[in-house]
């Protein structure tokens, strides 16, 4: 099933209600696009971008390395090294485009799939794997790269982003904040509340919704009757739909929304229209709920291929470049593989670490009991 | 003058004022906390003096209030959030339990969550549904949260200061039916440790352990029992997470008897936790099983029935008699 046919799957309205409506909503509004699936550069009146060949190659490299990292993580899960993996396959342009629009002092609130954004923030990819291997629940210092911990409860982080952005505004800083979430998460109350708060406090936050068409097995039309980006209007801020497989458009649109936030003009909702090429996670079986031809149709819009075509057509990269990048990808995969295999299980006593910042009598008591219990085995072993 | 006689609500107000004054990172957030000063006037006058940027009227969205407070804490602020009534904290329960409580641990201790959530709780004011509940056990059960409740003005003043200074999330339960009770506050005192229980009344025959609104009832019960020649010790626990078991143990080793009193339903309540732990610690000192007095396993009743539902003097004294009869 192609995505164009999703309109046909929408629940039918009665004739009466359709005639009452002023104009039937188009379910396929114009996407902001700067690079077509065929790799042709096109113009958009509102969004322009001018990148050097070096910068274009940089975006390409980011996408390729992220995809390779993701593939390696999927393989590691299959080999039993990770308990679970949430693949970003197909969403590289949305993540690298938006991620590269950020300044160092901006702050990112991701879900559990933002491996490409993490890459742009300089987070060591092996850091992302701890929670999927089961050695921690996050495990990095969010303040090092201004990249918050992954959030599993869908939608929660949009409120954290909004509050953080309210703080940025209070500080008189001109940084911006970006919150990532999915089309499924858009149904959560927290997302609606974050829209309300950010609008009424004019918070410098960008909501970046990756509409990858599916929330596990539920299609976007199970979440909304209007195109997602149009939600923003009801909250009083702009919404824009961008081709989520076009890294240039994602960069341009996010940059513009971040600048708007920095100027003190408040939030923007970006809907990156994209596709999750793989399973929801390694535990998921998408054959149960979607057809292969849908994926095939989206493969023709692959974010990496189209930039590659463009780079080649413009003469910005030659075969030697692509070969070297393949080599770099393999090196990255090797490093990740080795790091994961070497990742130690946490010390038993870590259960009691950092439950409280200021300590807690019960935790102290139970830690001591647990230590004594553990020690009793050591004694038996002697 | 350092010592003033203040209603509990006013002591909280002074405490918030001092916190706003001393630390520019402290923020007050909630529904109606600004111009109105909160439905119980606990934040009265604070917005006028500290501005809308520090004392923030929020949209009517509890998850939003706590969720954005988490974000503000991540940015270095110390939000003090007001939930208007006990029964309205549940839309925020997700943010409190899945996010606020765990953030510090998930970041391996690299970030702190200095958020205080103030909740007027408990019954006895003749309110409508969702305005009289005692959900403290639901929070005390969650690792990462601290749960406290003052019973008098001095504790209200000092415990709130200490909660705001804490780098951990604190659920601060305010006994709403004690808001108007006056007692001494020494604003120059050096407060004791936040989680230490207080002996509210010295006695030798039996120990009553209570917190928040029930402390007063227990002290009155002790006075009534004294007329019958019974010497009742009353502990004000002050903190439900952690619980100062050492102080309870010391008292029970002396009296040999313990009754835990709270407004919340007895079933799975904090009394169950205390009974279990004290039985473990004081098995050979106990002369009677630990008894519990509290609410029933039923929705908080309509106002005309709340006197039947809430533990009062008679039910506490009845439990004292039952314990002493062993
Ligand atoms: C509150 C909550 N409910 C359910 C889940 C289980 N769950 C995890 S991801 C997911 C689908 C999310 O879909 P979407 O927001 O579109 O993001 P995507 O995974 O497609 O990137 C669900 C239902 C959850 N994590 N949190």
């Amino acid at each position: 099933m192609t995505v164009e046919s999703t309109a046909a799957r929408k629940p039918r309205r009665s004739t009466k209600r359709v005639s009452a409506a002023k104009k039937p909503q188009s379910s396929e509004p114009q996407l902001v696009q700067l690079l077509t699936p065929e790799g042709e550069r096109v113009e958009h009146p509102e969004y322009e971008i001018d990148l050097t060949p070096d910068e274009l190659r940089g975006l390409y490299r980011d996408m390729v390395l992220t995809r390779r990292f993701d593939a390696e993580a999927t393989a590691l899960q299959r080999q039993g090294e990770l308990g679970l993996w949430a693949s970003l396959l197909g969403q590289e342009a949305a993540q690298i485009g938006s991620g590269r629009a950020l300044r160092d002092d901006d702050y990112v609130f991701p879900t559990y799939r933002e491996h490409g954004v993490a890459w742009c923030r300089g987070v060591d990819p092996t850091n992302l794997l701890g929670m999927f291997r089961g050695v921690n629940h996050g495990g990095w210092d969010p303040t090092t790269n201004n990249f918050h911990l992954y959030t599993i409860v869908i939608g929660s982080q949009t409120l954290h982003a909004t509050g953080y952005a309210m703080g940025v505004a209070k500080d008189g800083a001109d940084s911006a904040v970006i919150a990532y979430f999915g089309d499924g998460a858009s149904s959560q109350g927290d997302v609606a509340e974050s829209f309300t708060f950010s609008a009424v406090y004019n918070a410098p936050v960008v909501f970046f919704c990756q509409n990858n068409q599916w929330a596990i097995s539920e299609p976007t039309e199970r979440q909304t009757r209007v195109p997602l980006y149009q939600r923003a209007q009801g909250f009083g801020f702009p919404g824009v739909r961008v081709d989520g497989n076009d890294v240039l458009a994602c960069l341009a649109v996010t940059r513009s929304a971040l600048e708007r936030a920095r100027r003190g003009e408040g939030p923007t909702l970006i809907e990156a229209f994209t596709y999750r090429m793989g399973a929801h996670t390694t535990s998921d079986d998408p054959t149960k709920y979607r057809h292969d031809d849908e994926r095939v149709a989206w493969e023709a819009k692959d974010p990496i291929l189209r930039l590659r075509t463009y780079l080649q057509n413009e003469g910005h990269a030659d075969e030697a470049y692509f070969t070297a990048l393949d080599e770099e990808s393999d090196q990255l995969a090797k490093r990740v593989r080795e790091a994961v295999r070497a990742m130690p299980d946490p010390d038993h006593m870590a259960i009691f670490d950092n439950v409280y910042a200021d300590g807690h009598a019960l935790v102290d008591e139970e830690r001591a009991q647990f230590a004594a219990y553990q020690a009793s085995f050591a004694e038996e072993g002697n | 003058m350092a010592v003033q006689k203040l209603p509990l609500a006013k002591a909280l107000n002074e405490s918030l004022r001092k916190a706003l004054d001393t630390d520019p990172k402290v923020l007050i957030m909630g529904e109606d906390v600004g111009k109105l000063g909160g439905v119980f006037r606990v934040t009265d006058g604070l917005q006028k003096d500290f501005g809308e940027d520090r004392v923030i009227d929020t949209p009517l969205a509890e998850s939003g209030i706590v969720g954005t407070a988490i974000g503000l804490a991540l940015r270095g602020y110390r939000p003090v959030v007001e939930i208007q009534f006990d029964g309205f904290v549940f839309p925020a329960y997700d943010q409190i339990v899945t996010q606020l409580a765990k953030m510090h641990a998930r970041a391996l201790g690299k970030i702190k969550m200095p958020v205080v959530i103030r909740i007027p709780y408990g019954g006895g004011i003749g309110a409508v549904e969702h305005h009289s509940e005692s959900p403290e056990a639901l929070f005390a059960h969650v690792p990462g949260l601290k749960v406290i409740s003052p019973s008098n003005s001095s504790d209200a003043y000092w415990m709130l200061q200490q909660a705001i200074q804490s780098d951990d999330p604190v659920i601060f339960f305010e006994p709403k039916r004690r808001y108007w009770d006056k007692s001494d506050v020494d604003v120059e005192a050096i407060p004791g440790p936040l989680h230490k229980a207080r002996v509210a009344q010295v006695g030798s025959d039996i120990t009553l352990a209570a917190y928040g609104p029930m402390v007063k009832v227990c002290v009155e019960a002790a006075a009534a029992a004294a007329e019958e020649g019974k010497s009742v010790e009353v502990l004000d626990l002050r903190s439900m997470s952690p619980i100062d078991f050492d102080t309870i143990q010391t008292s029970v080793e002396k009296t040999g008897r313990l009754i835990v009193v709270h407004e919340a339903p007895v079933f799975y309540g904090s009394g169950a936790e205390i009974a279990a732990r004290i039985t473990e610690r004081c098995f050979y000192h106990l002369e009677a099983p630990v008894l519990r007095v509290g609410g029933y396993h039923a929705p908080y009743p309509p106002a005309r029935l709340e006197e039947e539902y809430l533990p009062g003097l008679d039910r506490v004294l009845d439990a004292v008699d039952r314990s002493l009869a062993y």
Side-chain angles (χ1 to χ4, degrees):
Chain A
M1 189 178 289
T2 64
V3 76
E4 283 71 27
S5 71
T6 55
R9 279 190 289 155
K10 276 197 140 186
R12 255 211 254 158
R13 292 165 146 190
S14 74
T15 7
K16 202 168 155 201
R17 290 196 50 195
V18 170
S19 59
K22 276 185 196 146
K23 222 204 267 167
Q25 295 280 7
S26 154
S27 71
E28 279 283 330
Q30 281 273 290
L31 302 171
V32 176
Q33 194 176 69
L34 298 177
L35 190 63
T36 69
E38 294 72 35
E40 278 164 36
R41 201 57 178 80
V42 288
E43 301 297 320
H44 189 281
E46 281 175 64
Y47 299 97
E48 211 20 78
I49 199 152
D50 190 18
L51 298 176
T52 64
D54 220 28
E55 288 169 326
L56 288 165
R57 279 192 301 270
L59 294 173
Y60 183 77
R61 174 176 173 272
D62 289 337
M63 290 199 288
V64 167
L65 292 180
T66 301
R67 181 171 286 189
R68 184 67 185 87
F69 164 69
D70 187 73
E72 192 58 27
T74 303
L76 285 164
Q77 195 281 333
R78 296 292 180 230
Q79 292 159 15
E81 300 288 351
L82 300 178
L84 182 80
W85 183 246
S87 164
L88 69 9
L89 185 64
Q91 299 178 220
E92 295 87 353
Q95 296 197 14
I96 300 300
S98 59
R100 284 297 175 209
L102 297 163
R103 244 169 40 187
D104 280 353
D105 60 327
D106 294 338
Y107 212 100
V108 178
F109 287 86
T111 69
Y112 40 78
R113 205 192 289 286
E114 267 64 78
H115 322 313
V117 186
W119 171 264
C120 295
R121 298 308 283 173
V123 176
D124 185 329
T126 59
N127 272 349
L128 305 177
L129 299 172
M131 65 186 291
F132 293 100
R133 189 175 170 83
V135 303
N136 57 47
H137 289 310
W140 60 85
D141 179 351
T143 58
T144 307
N145 303 85
N146 282 6
F147 185 79
H148 190 66
L149 302 164
Y150 276 0
T151 299
I152 303 272
V153 181
I154 61 176
S156 287
Q157 76 283 359
T158 59
L159 279 168
H160 309 161
T162 300
Y164 193 94
M166 288 161 62
V168 168
K170 281 182 186 306
D171 293 346
D174 80 337
S175 338
V177 180
I178 189 163
Y180 289 86
F181 60 104
D183 46 306
S186 73
S187 296
Q188 290 281 340
D190 277 5
V191 172
E193 294 190 20
S194 69
F195 287 179
T196 297
F197 275 69
S198 62
V200 302
Y201 295 120
N202 205 41
V205 58
V206 175
F207 296 105
F208 196 93
C209 176
Q210 288 171 84
N211 177 358
N212 63 10
Q213 313 302 325
W214 294 93
I216 312 186
S217 70
E218 298 198 2
T220 309
E221 69 228 44
R222 181 47 61 119
Q223 316 297 335
T224 181
R225 293 290 300 269
V226 299
L228 279 172
Y229 77 96
Q230 288 179 2
R231 288 253 177 102
Q233 198 188 355
F235 290 88
F237 55 88
V240 50
R241 181 180 270 187
V242 59
D243 183 340
N245 287 19
D246 172 354
V247 71
L248 301 186
C250 288
L251 177 61
V253 167
T254 311
R255 201 177 258 174
S256 151
L258 291 166
E259 277 161 13
R260 194 183 120 82
R262 290 186 216 296
R263 288 195 303 269
E265 292 170 27
T268 303
L269 170 62
I270 298 171
E271 178 190 359
F273 204 75
T274 180
Y275 190 72
R276 184 226 315 143
M277 303 279 261
H280 170 71
T281 65
T282 43
S283 307
D284 175 42
D285 175 9
T287 63
K288 292 191 100 133
Y289 55 84
R290 69 183 193 190
H291 292 287
D292 249 7
D293 47 3
E294 181 181 296
R295 185 195 150 110
V296 170
W298 275 92
E299 269 170 5
K301 305 180 194 176
D302 188 282
I304 296 187
L305 272 184
R306 74 171 77 171
L307 186 56
R308 186 184 177 114
T309 309
Y310 178 65
L311 286 174
Q312 283 172 325
N313 290 349
E314 296 294 309
H316 290 328
D318 55 14
E319 273 318 303
Y321 171 81
F322 293 115
T323 313
L325 187 53
D326 283 347
E327 175 60 23
E328 192 185 359
S329 298
D330 289 341
Q331 288 303 323
L332 172 68
K334 185 162 174 281
R335 178 167 79 82
V336 167
R337 193 161 57 244
E338 285 167 0
V340 167
R341 294 205 170 127
M343 206 178 270
D345 282 350
D347 184 78
H348 291 171
M349 298 310 290
I351 292 171
F352 302 98
D353 288 350
N354 304 307
V355 184
Y356 294 90
D358 298 340
H360 189 286
L362 179 63
V363 176
D364 294 344
E365 189 184 320
E366 292 187 352
R367 182 194 286 114
Q369 284 168 358
F370 186 75
Y373 179 67
Q374 292 286 325
S376 72
F377 291 109
E379 278 158 28
E380 270 173 28
N382 281 342
Chain B
M1 208 176 53
V3 180
Q4 293 166 271
K5 218 177 192 45
L6 295 177
L8 193 148
K10 180 69 180 155
L12 293 168
N13 179 272
E14 292 293 334
S15 185
L16 291 171
R17 174 176 293 281
K18 182 166 174 210
L20 286 164
D21 226 2
T22 4
D23 184 352
K25 292 293 182 189
V26 170
L27 303 172
I28 312 280
M29 299 169 64
E31 298 163 11
D32 305 300
V33 297
K35 273 207 177 64
L36 180 67
V39 290
F40 289 105
R41 308 292 183 269
V42 170
T43 56
D44 202 20
L46 298 179
Q47 190 182 68
K48 190 166 117 297
D49 296 342
F50 294 93
E52 291 180 16
D53 218 39
R54 307 276 314 276
V55 181
I56 306 166
D57 272 326
T58 62
L60 274 66
E62 282 75 13
S63 190
I65 295 170
V66 173
T68 53
I70 291 170
L72 282 157
L74 287 169
R75 181 72 193 181
Y77 287 87
R78 303 184 89 85
V80 183
V81 157
E82 176 174 302
I83 298 293
Q84 205 154 59
F85 281 94
D86 36 61
F88 306 139
V89 71
F90 297 106
Y93 195 65
D94 165 40
Q95 282 286 344
I96 295 172
V97 172
T98 69
Q99 307 298 319
L100 182 64
K102 293 179 175 162
M103 205 69 94
H104 178 69
R106 295 177 62 232
L108 303 183
K110 303 294 184 195
I111 50 176
K112 309 254 165 71
M113 273 292 117
V115 176
V116 176
I117 300 177
R118 295 181 34 242
I119 309 176
Y121 83 123
I125 63 162
V128 294
E129 212 186 357
H130 309 303
H131 289 72
S132 304
E133 294 166 13
S134 299
E136 64 271 15
L138 296 175
F139 294 90
H141 193 63
V142 179
L145 301 178
K146 291 185 172 174
V147 182
I148 58 179
S149 178
S151 71
N152 57 56
S153 300
S154 175
D155 274 353
Y157 182 84
W158 285 112
M159 287 169 70
L160 186 52
Q161 296 288 313
Q162 292 167 312
I164 294 170
Q165 280 156 21
S166 169
D167 283 330
D168 287 313
V170 179
I171 314 295
F172 190 87
F173 279 106
E174 300 173 2
K176 68 169 87 77
R177 68 161 135 155
R178 305 289 174 229
Y179 271 148
W180 304 275
D181 288 3
K182 284 187 179 181
S183 56
D184 283 342
V185 180
D186 181 352
V187 297
E188 278 160 22
I190 294 164
L194 179 55
H195 302 286
K196 191 156 171 44
R198 174 180 71 97
V199 180
Q201 171 77 53
V202 178
S204 54
D205 295 339
I206 186 166
T207 303
L208 298 181
Y211 49 83
M214 278 296 131
V215 173
K216 186 177 178 187
V217 174
C218 289
V219 169
E220 286 167 3
E227 286 171 20
E228 298 167 9
K230 298 166 195 156
S231 171
V232 176
E233 180 142 302
V234 179
L235 304 181
D236 178 356
L237 298 182
R238 300 169 77 246
S239 173
M240 279 83 78
S241 177
I243 291 176
D244 177 7
F245 288 108
D246 292 344
T247 297
I248 309 175
Q249 180 175 352
T250 305
S251 177
V252 172
E253 283 176 1
K254 176 175 71 173
T255 64
R257 290 181 165 82
L258 175 65
I259 300 169
V260 190
V261 185
H262 52 60
E263 288 191 15
V266 166
F267 192 60
Y268 279 99
S270 44
E273 182 60 46
I274 294 167
R277 294 229 176 219
I278 288 302
T279 304
E280 223 174 287
R281 284 185 178 216
C282 307
F283 189 67
Y284 294 108
H285 289 92
L286 284 169
E287 306 283 345
V290 180
L291 300 182
R292 291 169 289 161
V293 180
Y296 304 110
H297 197 58
Y300 193 89
R304 291 298 179 94
L305 289 175
E306 68 179 339
E307 288 310 319
E308 312 303 320
Y309 176 91
L310 290 169
L313 212 55
D314 290 341
R315 267 167 65 196
V316 175
L317 288 171
D318 178 62
V320 167
D321 290 345
R322 275 192 292 136
S323 177
L324 288 170
Y326 274 92

